[in-house]
Structures are given as C-alpha cells and as structure tokens.
Amino acid sequence: MSTLSLWDDFEIPPQARKGGVTLNLYDQLSAYVPKRPGAYLRIASDRFGLEAGVDRRSEDAADTRKHLRWGKFAKVYKENDTSAFKKRKVVREDGTIDWIVIRPQFRQLLADLAGGVIDGVIFYDLDRPVRQPRDLEDLIDIVEYVHRPVIGATGGRMNLVNDNDRHMARILCVMALKSSEDTARRVARLHLATAWTARSRAASPTDGSAKATSRARPYRLRQRS
C-alpha cells in the first residue's frame, strides 16, 4: 500500500510545458493588479466621534493604492471606535452559544472579497483588521480561495496571498493578542486598586477629620531668641 505524497495531486499548469514555470507561483499571484479594491480602516477608541484616526488611515491607504497602481477603491470599510479584541456572547438561532468579536464591516469585507465585489484589500497595519487568530484565519481562508492580494500599508507591504506572509501574520496576530490581554489585565488591576482605595477612605471616619485638623493647625517654626 503506497502513501500519497504532498505533490501526487498537484495539477501542472499548461505553461509548464514551455519550461518557464517553477513551484514558486506566488510571484504571479502578487503581480495581480486589482481594479476594484477595498480599504479597511479601524480605530479602537474615539471618545468624541471625530473620526480623525480613520481619516489619517484613509490617507495612508490611498497613498499605498496609488503607489501600487491599483484601481480606485470600490468600497471603504470603516469601523470607528471599534475593538478587534473584545468578544461578546452571542446566542445563535439554533441555540448554540459563542463568543466572538462583533464587527459588521469586517464581516462585510470578507463576504465582498469572497463574492468578487472587491478584488483586493489594503489595510493600515495587521492589527487593524485582526487581533484575534480566529478572525485572521477567516480572512486567510478567503485569500487562499480567491487568490487576491490583501496588503498592509506598513510593515514592509505584507501580502496575505504569499504563504510566508501568512505565517508571519499568524505570529504577529498572536503577539498583538498578547499585548491586548496584557493591557486589559493592567487596566482591570488599576480599577480594582481605585475601588479598594475609595472603599478604604469611606470606611475610615478619622480620615477626613485628621485632614481638617492638619489644615486648621498649620505647623509653625519657632523663632530662636
């Protein structure tokens, strides 16, 4: 009984008969120039709703598009004041429960990329579209299916159509997730300390009187005779 190897079902492209093709097919995939690309723009926190952050990202995405000589953006997906880290409990129609990051525009981007509405994506940096490995794998699944470029404006032009960049993206995504979890832990600890301090002060009846006494009787230096 023979064991199938990785290349047993590999389909040789017709142009291979001319001897001009190698197994490094990603150069051809990367050479594709999208005619109707999309841009994904996200800012995690915008307390006043000014959208200044996404506007800056929009300028960088447009500059990258011009540099790559892609077509004009067919769609721009904006998610202002939206976290790519925080999960929410979701009860599905069949009664199953899941914890996911709710980002309608990101999900719309995935659907449009899979359906051919857009044929490429530009994002600012990898931690803008994804901070959860599950979301990254959803994006990678579609990229591997449609073979269309998904490129970052920073970080050396990461392109998820390339296998090496996909594996690097997985590493960077885990690092971004670790950073978010560290920040969440520190913030939670700060809130706990603040609450404990407030509780301690409220439980101490002499705290306020001691301060009042110290203000009423300031320390005075005695003059030497």
Side-chain angles (χ1 to χ4, degrees), residues 33-195:
V33 179
K35 299 177 179 60
R36 50 186 188 284
Y40 180 80
L41 313 171
R42 183 186 69 84
I43 289 294
S45 178
D46 184 8
R47 295 176 58 188
F48 302 104
L50 300 178
E51 296 192 4
V54 293
D55 288 343
R56 291 192 298 270
R57 300 291 189 269
S58 178
E59 295 173 358
D60 295 333
D63 182 70
T64 301
R65 179 191 63 79
K66 293 178 181 178
H67 178 77
L68 296 173
R69 298 182 179 180
W70 287 13
K72 294 183 179 180
F73 286 130
K75 296 185 69 173
V76 176
Y77 305 83
K78 289 185 178 182
E79 287 188 309
N80 193 53
D81 198 25
T82 302
S83 172
F85 165 70
K86 296 179 181 179
K87 295 180 180 180
R88 296 183 183 180
K89 181 180 178 180
V90 174
V91 180
R92 304 189 184 278
E93 295 182 355
D94 60 357
T96 58
I97 299 175
D98 199 359
W99 284 263
I100 62 174
V101 179
I102 299 178
R103 287 187 296 154
Q105 287 297 306
F106 175 72
R107 290 295 156 183
Q108 186 62 53
L109 178 146
L110 296 183
D112 289 346
L113 184 60
V117 177
I118 57 176
D119 59 350
V121 177
I122 291 178
F123 55 86
Y124 179 73
D125 195 68
L126 184 66
D127 65 353
R128 297 303 87 196
V130 293
R131 271 185 179 264
Q132 291 286 353
R134 182 190 301 185
D135 290 342
L136 175 61
E137 293 302 328
D138 288 344
L139 177 58
I140 287 177
D141 285 345
I142 295 174
V143 172
E144 290 179 333
Y145 172 73
V146 300
H147 299 303
R148 291 295 180 256
V150 176
I151 292 180
T154 65
R157 298 276 190 265
M158 172 180 285
N159 190 347
L160 296 183
V161 80
N162 300 320
D163 58 348
N164 286 338
D165 284 355
R166 288 197 296 270
H167 292 303
M168 180 56 66
R170 290 181 172 104
I171 296 173
L172 293 176
C173 183
V174 171
M175 293 172 62
L177 176 62
K178 178 67 166 60
S179 177
S180 294
E181 290 179 344
D182 289 344
T183 300
R185 183 183 66 252
R186 290 193 295 267
V187 171
R189 183 63 181 89
L190 175 61
H191 290 170
L192 177 63
T194 302

Side-chain angles (χ1 to χ4, degrees), residues 22-32 159 161-163:
T22 67
L23 290 179
N24 184 15
L25 304 178
Y26 298 106
D27 290 340
Q28 299 178 19
L29 297 177
S30 300
Y32 177 80
N159 190 347
V161 80
N162 300 320
D163 58 348

Side-chain angles (χ1 to χ4, degrees), residues 204-211:
S204 176
T206 61
D207 184 62
S209 60
K211 290 185 177 180

